[in-house]
Amino acid sequence: MNIESEAGPPISIESIVSQLAGAQTGPETGTSGSQGNGLAGDSGLGSGKGSGKGSGLKTKTTFFGVEGSGRSFVYVIDRSDSMNSLGGAPLRFAKREVLKSLESLTEFNQFQIVFYNDSLAPMSRGLLFAEDKNKRKASDFVRNMPGDGSTAHFPALRQGLAMVPEVLFFLTDADDPSLSRGQLLEIQKRAELSRTTIHSIQFNAGPATNDGSWIKELAEMNRGTYSYIDVTSISTLPGK
């Protein structure tokens, strides 16, 4: 008996790997479950386990006019004492806008909110689906968040990226300390690993005094959009 002819041609390891990769990689609109957990070396507040619902179609949402498109979104928002200027207008408007942005998400999208000053105040340990019950929890969390303390931007950005969102919105009034070149490069490396787009919004009173400096560079280094918001112009709009 010719054993070789009955057994068929030799098995190709390359073809098996290719088939497995094809079986595990679905179309862009059909990725299932939450995204992975935090990057190595972070504090472990990443998204962790998926719920089995699937992340659905990409959704577009805006935050202070800056548009982001993706399945998962993290909002990193400065709540330091400087955000209490102008009678608390900066923090008040930030809270309003993040809740407006959440309303446009579907139940198949995921989100997380991380307020920060010199410490971190995430809403929960990982990404949440944008179901009505979680939107209500977000509303309570946001409305009750006080503004106080000093500022530490870098840990907040690092924590936001640890949740592996497709889109990260970063809002700050740019109070010192600014990010160093080394910190910007580390954020860029982490964003590339998580495939996260970072949009940055600088929030202050009056015309911009510079070209955005490190906040603008943060967005440009991570495929995002930079925007400067004059808080006084918002406060003069009817009904604001």
Side-chain angles (χ1 to χ4, degrees), residues 103-191:
E103 279 305 308
S104 65
L105 302 185
T106 75
E107 64 179 347
F108 299 106
N109 295 129
Q110 293 175 288
F111 76 95
Q112 184 54 253
I113 304 167
V114 180
F115 281 101
Y116 75 97
N117 46 24
D118 49 358
S119 61
L120 303 178
M123 178 180 165
S124 62
R125 291 186 59 85
L127 293 175
L128 301 171
F129 280 98
E131 302 166 326
D132 288 343
K133 65 178 182 179
N134 288 330
K135 288 181 179 180
R136 288 193 295 270
K137 290 178 182 178
S139 179
D140 291 340
F141 171 73
V142 169
R143 295 179 191 281
N144 292 318
M145 182 59 61
D148 56 31
S150 56
T151 310
H153 307 291
F154 183 61
L157 284 165
R158 188 169 56 184
Q159 184 55 62
L161 289 172
M163 298 180 188
V164 199
E166 290 190 21
V167 177
L168 188 151
F169 289 110
F170 174 63
L171 173 73
T172 179
D173 61 0
D175 204 14
D176 289 335
S178 60
L179 294 190
S180 67
R181 185 63 184 172
Q183 289 173 329
L184 284 169
L185 290 173
E186 182 174 338
I187 291 298
Q188 182 184 42
K189 181 179 179 181
R190 289 169 178 262

Side-chain angles (χ1 to χ4, degrees), residues 188-202:
Q188 182 184 42
K189 181 179 179 181
R190 289 169 178 262
E192 287 176 350
L193 288 173
S194 59
R195 298 181 181 179
T196 301
T197 296
I198 300 178
H199 301 295
S200 60
I201 298 99
Q202 186 176 356

Side-chain angles (χ1 to χ4, degrees), residues 25-141:
T25 306
E28 184 177 64
T29 59
T31 304
S32 62
S34 302
Q35 299 189 47
N37 57 10
L39 300 174
D42 281 306
S43 62
L45 294 179
S47 58
K49 299 178 181 179
S51 72
K53 292 181 68 172
S55 54
L57 296 170
K58 285 190 174 183
T59 295
K60 290 182 180 180
T61 189
T62 59
F63 185 50
F64 280 106
V66 176
E67 184 178 88
S69 176
R71 302 175 185 86
S72 53
F73 303 82
V74 168
Y75 303 82
V76 177
I77 302 173
D78 188 345
R79 70 173 188 101
S80 60
D81 189 55
S82 57
M83 293 286 283
N84 284 324
S85 63
L86 300 174
L91 186 57
R92 184 168 68 252
F93 296 146
K95 290 179 176 183
R96 180 197 67 185
E97 289 297 311
V98 71
L99 293 179
K100 282 175 59 178
S101 182
L102 288 180
E103 279 305 308
S104 65
L105 302 185
T106 75
E107 64 179 347
F108 299 106
N109 295 129
Q110 293 175 288
F111 76 95
Q112 184 54 253
I113 304 167
V114 180
F115 281 101
Y116 75 97
N117 46 24
D118 49 358
S119 61
L120 303 178
M123 178 180 165
S124 62
R125 291 186 59 85
L127 293 175
L128 301 171
F129 280 98
E131 302 166 326
D132 288 343
K133 65 178 182 179
N134 288 330
K135 288 181 179 180
R136 288 193 295 270
K137 290 178 182 178
S139 179
D140 291 340
F141 171 73

